[in-house]
Amino acid sequence: MAEASRWHRGGTSKHKLHYRKDVEIRTTLQELLLYFIFLINLCILTFGMVNPHTYYLNKVMSSLFLDTSVPGEERTNFKSIRSITDFWKFMEGPLLEGLYWDSWYNSHQLYDLKNSSRIYYENILLGVPRVRQLKVRNNTCKVYSSFQSLISECYGKYTSANEDLSNFGLTSNSEWRYSTSNTNSPWHWGFLGVYQNGGYIFTLSKLKSETKNKFIDLRLNNWITRGTRVIFIDFSLYNANVNLFCIIRLVAEFPATGGIVTSWQFYSVKLLRYVSYYDYFIASCEIIFCIFLFVFTTQEVKKIKEFKSDYFKSIWNWLELLLLLLCFVAVSFNIYCNIQIFLLLGQLLKSTEKYSDFYFLAYWHIYYNNIIAITIFFAWIKNMFLAIINDTYSEVKADYSIGRRPDFELGKMIKQSYKNVLEKFRLKKAQKDEDKKTKDSGDLAEQARREGFDENEIQKAEQMKKWKERLEKKYYSAEIQDDYQPVTQQEFRELFLYAVELEKELHYINLKLNQVMRKLSAL
């Protein structure tokens, strides 16, 4: 509006004003196009990393270890465990049978790869599984004085302060001695508490018979006690057919109330990321994403320098900063995951006789996917509201709202280009054809009278036509260059009457339509 007032005072010429508007629209279209390309690239990054086999790998593994029942007891599986007895039945039954696939269905040995199990004959077991227990000390809760003569032991809920670190049972073996954590895995957030690393740990054998004897020995010697609060079963698989790692964690929590609460995690992730040509295409998209991030960051820095504190008064600028922050976090997560995979993957694969802790790698990979998902959500939010918050679009919208057309609009530019092409190829109709069409339209009123239309309706139609032509001539004519003409009181009244007549016509048409529909329904 300030530019318009200067133009009326003679400060800015029409030509400069029109040129400035043209530049603004062209710049806006370029920004929209650039951001649209960024969105496409981000979508390719997000959905290109999704492997359709992830769902099926998780499904078959969860079905094997969660839904398989104990032989002879159809209702006893990992999901239905409620007591210590049920837990040992699962360990010696479905878990044992699910982990060791050392022969074909006809009992012939199929694989001989350092005695590694092949679950479902396609998924190699990496290293050996690990079982870990966390306990709490006795007297971690207070017994009411009236019951102290009846109850001499009290085991509270699990906390790091209540955790039992002392050895127990057959202290000659490692599973009876407390071991500190030597991995980078994060703490586990369960249903009943947050559990740290370490505990009473043992790994399973490569041989099925030795593992079964180990389970029986632990059960007979009461490895699970009243102080037990959680048991983790961790192992990892790799399927070369689909290049996916499946990291599995089965959790059995022992609440202070008694019973067992089970939970599980199945993470199928692509840790070996750059293998096929398609993977290298995704890598090129990641480089393009970083270039876009650099460009957008430079633009925002320039805006902050230009507007200073006023920049932070707009909520949409905060959305820009949030989107940039998420992009930087996603890039940081990606770099960190790739570095950790490069450093740890080789070491983990070499330790075939030990537990390979892939949970750490899978955990951060899942977080990276979550960050990318949040980033693309806010990117589409910005895309939907980009036109609304854009100053140029806001001016165009304001012009339309008061009955004026903007100085430059995309439709007018395209229409003018189309006319120029028609004139060059001499395909444009002659002006006399247009005059003939106008003359023919003037005979519509006489034709309506001959066909028996009501005279009042014909007069109203002619009046509305005159209003329409007069308004179009004043506000929508291409010959008028000054689009900043004020609306007079008389013109506003005519606009209002025009709108009222349109509403009446719409109501009349609705009545006619309802009558026709009733006649049709009666047939």
Side-chain angles (χ1 to χ4, degrees), residues 65 78 87-88 90-92 95-96 99-100 127-135 168 173-180 196-205 210-212 214-216 218-219 223-224 228 230-236 248-252 254 354-357:
F65 292 104
F78 185 78
F87 179 81
W88 283 119
F90 167 77
M91 296 288 283
E92 298 174 19
L95 179 66
L96 195 66
L99 288 175
Y100 295 93
V128 292
R130 183 188 68 179
V131 181
R132 179 168 64 96
Q133 174 188 183
L134 293 177
K135 299 172 56 181
F168 74 107
N173 298 327
S174 61
E175 57 266 24
W176 304 94
R177 300 193 302 267
Y178 185 88
S179 301
T180 57
Q196 63 182 9
N197 299 318
Y200 303 91
I201 304 171
F202 70 93
T203 57
L204 305 187
S205 172
E210 292 183 3
T211 300
K212 185 174 183 179
K214 170 71 75 173
F215 288 160
I216 294 174
L218 293 175
R219 173 170 56 84
W223 187 67
I224 300 177
T228 300
V230 65
I231 294 178
F232 299 95
I233 305 171
D234 297 296
F235 53 97
S236 304
I248 300 174
R249 168 169 286 184
L250 306 179
V251 184
F254 296 72
K354 300 180 181 179
Y355 167 69
S356 299
D357 188 8

Side-chain angles (χ1 to χ4, degrees), residues 138-151:
N138 186 17
N139 298 324
T140 50
C141 51
K142 186 177 181 180
V143 180
Y144 190 68
S145 58
S146 300
F147 291 93
Q148 289 180 355
S149 60
L150 301 175
I151 303 174

Side-chain angles (χ1 to χ4, degrees), residues 430-447:
Q431 185 65 30
K432 59 181 182 180
D433 294 336
E434 299 294 334
D435 297 339
K436 182 179 180 182
K437 185 183 295 185
T438 305
K439 181 179 180 181
D440 294 338
S441 62
D443 298 333
L444 290 177
E446 187 63 30
Q447 182 179 356

